[in-house]
Amino acid sequence: DADVTQTPRNRITKTGKRIMLECSQTKGHDRMYWYRQDPGLGLRLIYYSFDVKDINKGEISDGYSVSRQAQAKFSLSLESAIPNQTALYFCATSDVTGNTGELFFGEGSRLTVL
Amino acid sequence: KNQVEQSPQSLIILEGKNCTLQCNYTVSPFSNLRWYKQDTGRGPVSLTIMTFSENTKSNGRYTATLDADTKQSSLHITASQLSDSASYICVVSVRTGANNLFFGTGTRLTVIP
């Protein structure tokens, strides 16, 4: 089983719908992240959490919200999806500050908003 | 402004040939630099990490270099294989701040038989 698991792997939805992407990890890491990847733009940080009680906005948080339900679970929500949120979304974890810590990514969730 | 730029954007090479990917950064204060490999449809996986004092580090057929003075890193792939086809992402971290990772946009490598 993967150490960082994302569900769903693929989702097609319509504009205005609420969508939740879920991430769970078995690595025991405190730090969890949500990124989106677009062609030509690379990976951009949406939200990150350094422990269960900690939530921080990344560079592109508008239109998204997150919930850290437990150390192992971090979900990303799109309250009202729009077409420009069509992208590949990645959850990642790390065990120490990103200064030295390696990021461990999930397999990705491909979201298409029509 | 903290930036990480990678070149080329894409590259096609014949199987068995060598290639070099470039990463230039303006990130400061520098902590370390990682190269990630991202296979199509998968999440990125770390290949190697370079710290300030390291000039060269190898991981099998992958060799990373770092010139901290010119703020440049390269990833050299020797005797390429079809399985090397992937995107290679350069990530630089700084020693300050909570959101301290800066990503390049990646180089898409295609190895053809």
Side-chain angles (χ1 to χ4, degrees):
Chain A
D1 289 341
D3 293 324
V4 182
T5 303
Q6 293 182 229
T7 56
R9 294 292 313 279
N10 289 283
R11 182 71 183 270
I12 300 174
T13 190
K14 295 182 179 180
T15 297
K17 294 292 187 180
R18 184 178 187 274
I19 295 297
M20 179 180 286
L21 306 180
E22 299 185 337
C23 177
S24 62
Q25 53 116 345
T26 58
K27 299 193 74 66
H29 291 169
D30 287 328
R31 301 186 174 215
M32 298 188 74
Y33 311 79
W34 275 105
Y35 291 90
R36 68 175 278 176
Q37 188 175 42
D38 300 276
L41 295 179
L43 286 156
R44 293 181 292 166
L45 183 63
I46 305 172
Y47 271 95
Y48 59 104
S49 170
F50 285 172
D51 64 42
V52 175
K53 297 179 182 179
D54 177 74
I55 299 290
N56 304 280
K57 293 182 177 181
E59 60 183 297
I60 56 163
S61 60
D62 287 349
Y64 302 95
S65 62
V66 292
S67 174
R68 185 78 183 268
Q69 301 95 323
Q71 186 208 35
K73 295 184 182 296
F74 192 37
S75 61
L76 175 72
S77 293
L78 288 69
E79 296 300 325
S80 180
I82 56 177
N84 75 1
Q85 292 177 312
T86 293
L88 185 56
Y89 291 84
F90 285 101
C91 175
T93 73
S94 70
D95 63 347
V96 293
T97 174
N99 283 339
T100 56
E102 177 181 350
L103 287 173
F104 296 86
F105 288 87
E107 297 289 89
S109 295
R110 184 169 295 282
L111 176 64
T112 302
V113 184
L114 301 177
Chain B
K1 182 179 179 181
N2 290 316
Q3 284 187 314
V4 178
E5 295 184 351
Q6 294 187 241
S7 62
Q9 192 171 33
S10 62
L11 182 62
I12 301 174
I13 63 172
L14 290 173
E15 186 178 12
K17 297 296 185 181
N18 303 334
C19 68
T20 300
L21 313 180
Q22 298 289 344
C23 175
N24 297 337
Y25 60 93
T26 58
V27 169
S28 180
F30 177 86
S31 177
N32 63 64
L33 182 151
R34 282 188 185 269
W35 284 94
Y36 286 82
K37 179 186 179 188
Q38 183 179 17
D39 291 318
T40 301
R42 309 292 294 273
V45 176
S46 178
L47 284 175
T48 186
I49 179 173
M50 303 293 291
T51 58
F52 188 84
S53 60
E54 296 175 309
N55 298 119
T56 303
K57 183 179 286 185
S58 292
N59 178 4
R61 294 180 297 100
Y62 299 99
T63 299
T65 66
L66 176 67
D67 185 332
D69 291 331
T70 62
K71 299 186 176 181
Q72 296 180 326
S73 177
S74 66
L75 181 68
H76 185 75
I77 304 174
T78 304
S80 61
Q81 300 177 358
L82 298 179
S83 59
D84 292 329
S85 294
S87 289
Y88 293 84
I89 303 170
C90 175
V91 182
V92 183
S93 65
V94 297
R95 287 185 274 110
T96 58
N99 181 13
N100 59 359
L101 298 178
F102 296 88
F103 289 76
T105 56
T107 293
R108 175 68 200 178
L109 174 66
T110 303
V111 181
I112 58 175

